[in-house]
Amino acid sequence: MTTWITICDTCKHADWAERGMKQTDGEALAALIEAQADGTPVRTRRVSCMMGCDNSCNVTVQAHGKLCYTLGRFEVSEDAAQGIVDYAVAHADSETGQVPYREWPQAVKGHFVTRHAPLPEDT
């Protein structure tokens, strides 16, 4: 079962316009995450608007049958991207999707926004 990192590519920090950016903060973070995820067992995808604007930049880590997590409040950086990918790899290695706190990369600590239970199997 594949673990996915879903990245909001429309996220913008409050000062985005003043910085004169040609791309959104979400697009910039997505490119860094995609580069870091290359060659790992996790996959990435971009979506437009995860409705978490107050917490931008937002990503979700999810897989069928596992807990799903939304993380946000990231700055655009190599460290953030690597931490997100490292967490997603640990999620992929976990049977339930739950990763013990002691195994969380420093770059994701303090960035968790929500946790969702897996969807029930159809009966």
Side-chain angles (χ1 to χ4, degrees):
M1 137 180 16
T2 302
T3 289
W4 287 85
I5 304 170
T6 302
I7 311 149
C8 180
D9 64 6
T10 55
C11 280
K12 299 175 195 162
H13 291 290
D15 65 346
W16 177 78
E18 292 82 35
R19 288 184 285 133
M21 301 295 293
K22 294 185 188 220
Q23 62 181 351
T24 65
D25 295 304
E27 289 171 317
L29 184 60
L32 293 172
I33 292 170
E34 290 161 351
Q36 296 293 340
D38 189 38
T40 72
V42 301
R43 298 195 52 201
T44 63
R45 67 182 180 146
R46 296 182 186 201
V47 297
S48 294
C49 196
M50 291 172 55
M51 298 181 75
C53 301
D54 289 342
N55 293 309
S56 65
C57 291
N58 296 289
V59 301
T60 58
V61 176
Q62 57 200 135
H64 181 73
K66 294 185 177 188
L67 292 167
C68 167
Y69 296 89
T70 303
L71 297 89
R73 300 179 302 274
F74 286 104
E75 295 298 323
V76 177
S77 73
E78 294 275 343
D79 287 342
Q82 188 63 60
I84 292 164
V85 171
D86 290 347
Y87 181 82
V89 169
H91 181 275
D93 290 342
S94 168
E95 186 175 317
T96 63
Q98 189 168 13
V99 177
Y101 180 80
R102 67 183 173 279
E103 296 177 19
W104 292 6
Q106 186 62 40
V108 301
K109 291 180 179 177
H111 292 273
F112 286 81
V113 177
T114 63
R115 178 174 76 179
H116 302 269
L119 291 172
E121 295 296 322
D122 290 339
T123 56

